[in-house]
């Protein structure tokens, strides 16, 4: 879940919103250029020009050119972590994670083309794909830590890491998002993406009962 909704990130001051918009413009320019020309042929100068900013501005947001292809929204993980920790106490860990993810995916239907192009860019470049997998695993680990903190309630995930349940929940939630996106992509005329997303999480919450004939 590398591409995240800017509307889901709404909040903060005008300066922060402008910064998020600039990062999003750079990331989108990088992905579209890479999809058209191949990532190895795209320069920082070309990305910056397509986004209407200077090269210096590019490096205010990304440490390297490859980061623009892989780390689409570096703040998304922190937002979801915060949302999980700040969710109402009556929410189950699954419900807290569902709402945090739903906020990030609120514009998935509008971003569908960009999601597809992003996947194509990563799969066309083995080293970018490897970095993407690494970024996904790091984001999943951060969510597991947030779930562990929420369960413990004492600000400590424990010396042995988040534990089995938080790790499993974070992994299952990530798989649920991918399943939702894949299903919706093949059946867009049948339901809105968030409806599919919530249906998937309802099945998870119910313990994945077998469908009736």
């Amino acid at each position: 879940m590398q591409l995240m909704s800017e509307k889901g990130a709404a909040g903060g001051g005008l300066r922060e919103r402008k910064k998020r918009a600039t990062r999003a413009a750079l990331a989108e320019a990088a992905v579209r250029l890479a999809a058209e020309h191949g990532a190895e042929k795209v320069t920082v100068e070309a990305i910056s020009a397509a986004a209407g900013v200077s090269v210096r501005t590019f490096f205010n947001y990304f440490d390297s050119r490859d980061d623009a292809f892989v780390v689409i929204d570096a703040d998304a993980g922190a937002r979801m972590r915060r949302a999980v920790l700040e969710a109402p106490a009556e929410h189950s860990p699954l419900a807290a994670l569902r709402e945090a993810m739903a906020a990030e995916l609120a514009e998935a239907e509008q971003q569908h083309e960009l999601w597809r192009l992003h996947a194509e860019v990563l799969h066309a470049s083995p080293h970018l794909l490897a970095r993407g997998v690494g970024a996904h695993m790091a984001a999943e680990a951060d969510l597991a830590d947030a779930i562990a903190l929420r369960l413990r309630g004492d600000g400590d995930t424990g010396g042995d890491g988040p534990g089995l349940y938080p790790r499993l929940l974070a992994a299952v939630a990530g798989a649920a998002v991918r399943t939702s996106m894949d299903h919706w992509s093949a059946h867009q005329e049948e339901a809105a993406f968030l409806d599919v997303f919530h249906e998937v999480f309802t099945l998870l919450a119910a313990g994945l009962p077998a469908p009736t004939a």
Side-chain angles (χ1 to χ4, degrees):
M1 197 169 57
Q2 295 300 313
L3 286 166
M4 296 296 177
S5 164
E6 287 304 307
K7 183 175 287 184
L14 177 61
R15 182 183 180 190
E16 289 303 311
R17 292 195 295 273
K18 287 183 176 180
K19 287 173 63 177
R20 286 195 294 268
T22 299
R23 173 183 281 276
L26 284 164
E28 180 171 351
V31 168
R32 291 190 182 281
L33 287 169
E36 182 177 355
H37 304 291
E40 70 282 356
K41 296 180 179 179
V42 178
T43 65
V44 170
E45 289 78 8
I47 296 170
S48 303
V53 301
S54 68
V55 170
R56 180 178 179 180
T57 297
F58 175 94
F59 285 109
N60 286 337
Y61 293 90
F62 300 101
D63 292 332
S64 71
R65 184 201 64 161
D66 286 357
D67 283 343
F69 303 129
V70 177
V71 186
I72 300 297
D73 187 345
D75 298 325
R79 289 195 301 270
M80 285 196 290
R81 179 185 178 92
R82 184 168 58 250
V84 167
L85 292 174
E86 295 178 353
E90 62 270 18
H91 278 21
S92 68
L94 178 63
L97 193 51
R98 179 196 65 212
E99 294 307 307
M101 289 180 158
E104 291 296 324
L105 293 164
E107 290 185 354
E109 287 165 284
Q110 288 75 23
Q111 293 185 324
H112 179 244
E113 181 201 8
L114 198 56
W115 283 52
R116 178 180 60 78
L117 290 177
H118 180 246
E120 290 177 1
V121 168
L122 294 189
H123 282 87
S125 176
H127 84 278
L128 290 180
L129 181 59
R131 289 193 60 178
V133 171
H136 171 77
M137 292 177 65
E140 190 175 284
D142 284 344
L143 282 178
D145 283 341
I147 295 164
L149 285 171
R150 182 178 176 86
L151 288 170
R152 291 175 61 90
D154 59 4
D156 182 9
T157 57
D160 296 325
L164 180 61
Y165 175 84
R167 287 178 177 145
L168 179 60
L169 180 53
V172 168
V177 171
R178 292 191 296 275
T179 300
S180 300
M181 181 58 71
D182 289 346
H183 180 85
W184 174 78
S185 295
H187 304 85
Q188 295 183 36
E189 71 284 354
E190 297 178 10
F193 170 73
L194 283 182
D195 290 338
V196 175
F197 172 87
H198 284 292
E199 181 180 355
V200 167
F201 272 80
T202 296
L203 291 171
L204 285 179
L208 289 178
T212 57

